[in-house]
Amino acid sequence: MITNELENSEKQSKTEQQDPLAFFARVYELYEKAEAASGTAVERFYCIGGLKIRLRFAGVALIPYMTPALSHLATEPFSDPALTVCLWDSTSTNTVMPPPPWQRNHHHPKRGEIHGYNTDRIHTSFQWGAFALSMLDSDRNLGIYWVETTEQIPYWETGSPLRTIFNVWMNKRGIQLVHAGAVGLPSGGVLLVGKGGSGKSTTALTCLNSELFYASDDYSLIACEPTPTVFSIYNTGKKNADDVNRLPFLAAAISNRDRLSEEKALYFINQHFPEKILTNFPIRAVLVPRITGKTDTSLTATSAVAALTSLAPSTMIQLPGAGKEACQIMMQVLKQVPSYYLELGTDLNQIPQVIFNLITKQ
């Protein structure tokens, strides 16, 4: 098994390099065995970024972990998916993953790409923390997601599942997964960019208690053609546990209240505010939240370069497969819309009103 055998593989002086395509085929054979062992495949269908995506599960064990964050994008079944992702775990299917054919130092230290197992066609990465193997065959539009056991899946993986596979596959279609929130109206809205702790989540979640609609607080899909557009991908929101009392209207929506001593509060917005979710809207502006400590919230114009500096680094470091093409999509979007610092005040009621005024006066 990858998680348990990795240490042993590191002790080997040499590791036999496998062809990336052959390794993908080997893992896919294991998925098929897992599906047979589970007795049935369970399928779920989604429209994500305007594209038809099918998730095919070997059994039901992973469904509660992988599907709630995508529930707002669920569709009726279709027969012509643009992408199929096969998901399985070893424990519930009793299908063992063999030791990995690479050593631990063959991983990208932050993003998890495995050196020697990535080509124009095949993407392979291993995500520490979630202990998840993600693979994509771009020619076959076929992804594979594996974990040893559901017990190792952290809450944040449940809040934004399959990021790696979606990011690599969407990028080839001119759609980029970015570390950004988004709120607005059907006629247009704003992209919220910045590193963790900058105020993105507070801004996005506060807007649920206003006239504005919600697309995301942490990850969004963006496209620059034909016009800058944001697509919702995950209906979740996260908030530091010591800060949840600032948003009392969300108290009943906390999904992990019994684990707040160890985890951020995780909200599944579609379960409590389905009428407040927008699946896509035009991007009218990019906002970079800054916590000021003052009472009032205001806007300060800034440059596309400043906005890119707030968006690109955290996107690139978090998402395996993000490269030159990802930067080009982000730059193209930012060049077409104005950017502002959102100077966050302590009166949270002012935040959505400032955003509303901006997008309705343009």
Side-chain angles (χ1 to χ4, degrees), residues 133-359:
L133 178 69
S134 296
M135 304 188 72
L136 175 69
D137 182 339
S138 294
D139 284 5
R140 296 173 66 187
N141 295 309
L142 179 64
I144 303 173
Y145 178 90
W146 168 86
V147 292
E148 182 180 347
T149 171
T150 58
E151 294 178 359
Q152 292 180 317
I153 299 175
Y155 77 98
W156 41 264
E157 181 77 350
T158 302
S160 51
L162 302 173
R163 292 184 309 282
T164 297
I165 293 171
F166 287 153
N167 176 53
V168 176
W169 186 78
M170 291 280 184
N171 178 267
K172 294 179 181 293
R173 286 150 184 80
I175 301 174
Q176 181 59 44
L177 183 62
V178 292
H179 182 219
V183 295
L185 299 169
S187 57
V190 299
L191 197 65
L192 302 166
V193 307
K195 63 183 180 180
S198 62
K200 293 194 310 295
S201 291
T202 297
T203 299
L205 292 169
T206 297
C207 290
L208 286 168
N209 201 29
S210 76
E211 298 177 82
L212 297 175
F213 294 87
Y214 184 92
S216 169
D217 82 320
D218 206 22
Y219 293 103
S220 301
L221 295 166
I222 61 171
C224 56
E225 295 179 352
T227 58
T229 301
V230 63
F231 298 92
S232 176
I233 181 167
Y234 305 120
N235 69 72
T236 47
K238 296 195 297 289
K239 196 87 175 73
N240 287 332
D242 60 1
D243 204 33
V244 295
N245 291 335
R246 297 181 71 201
L247 303 174
F249 70 96
L250 285 175
I254 298 174
S255 66
N256 55 342
R257 182 171 292 280
D258 59 327
R259 301 187 298 276
L260 292 185
S261 61
E262 303 172 351
E263 303 174 355
K264 287 186 175 182
L266 177 63
Y267 309 96
F268 291 96
I269 303 303
N270 194 48
Q271 295 177 6
H272 298 271
F273 305 92
E275 74 285 357
K276 296 294 291 182
I277 297 178
L278 280 183
T279 58
N280 65 88
F281 49 79
I283 301 173
R284 300 299 187 203
V286 175
L287 303 185
V288 184
R290 294 195 302 195
I291 299 171
T292 67
K294 300 178 181 178
T295 301
D296 298 331
T297 292
S298 61
L299 295 170
T300 302
T302 188
S303 65
V305 173
L308 183 65
T309 302
S310 297
L311 174 62
S314 60
T315 295
M316 302 294 284
I317 200 65
Q318 292 188 30
L319 297 174
K324 179 177 66 177
E325 295 81 5
C327 282
Q328 290 174 341
I329 294 173
M330 287 186 274
M331 285 191 292
Q332 287 299 316
V333 168
L334 294 172
K335 286 167 62 176
Q336 297 181 64
V337 298
S339 297
Y340 301 88
Y341 288 116
L342 179 63
E343 314 283 7
L344 294 174
T346 57
D347 180 1
L348 298 187
N349 292 328
Q350 292 188 25
I351 296 174
Q353 190 60 52
V354 168
I355 297 173
F356 182 87
N357 291 344
L358 173 68
I359 60 179

Side-chain angles (χ1 to χ4, degrees), residues 10 19 25 39 44 85 88 97 121 125 143 237-238 265 302 309-310:
E10 289 182 287
D19 174 73
R44 295 290 186 268
V85 182
W88 62 291
M97 178 74 83
R121 175 174 175 177
S125 63
K238 296 195 297 289
T302 188
T309 302
S310 297

Side-chain angles (χ1 to χ4, degrees), residues 45-51 53 67-76 78 166 170 215 221 231-235 270 277-280:
F45 299 86
Y46 302 92
C47 181
I48 303 175
L51 300 166
I53 294 176
T67 61
L70 301 167
S71 62
H72 62 308
L73 302 175
T75 71
E76 295 296 320
F78 42 73
F166 287 153
M170 291 280 184
L221 295 166
F231 298 92
S232 176
I233 181 167
Y234 305 120
N235 69 72
N270 194 48
I277 297 178
L278 280 183
T279 58
N280 65 88

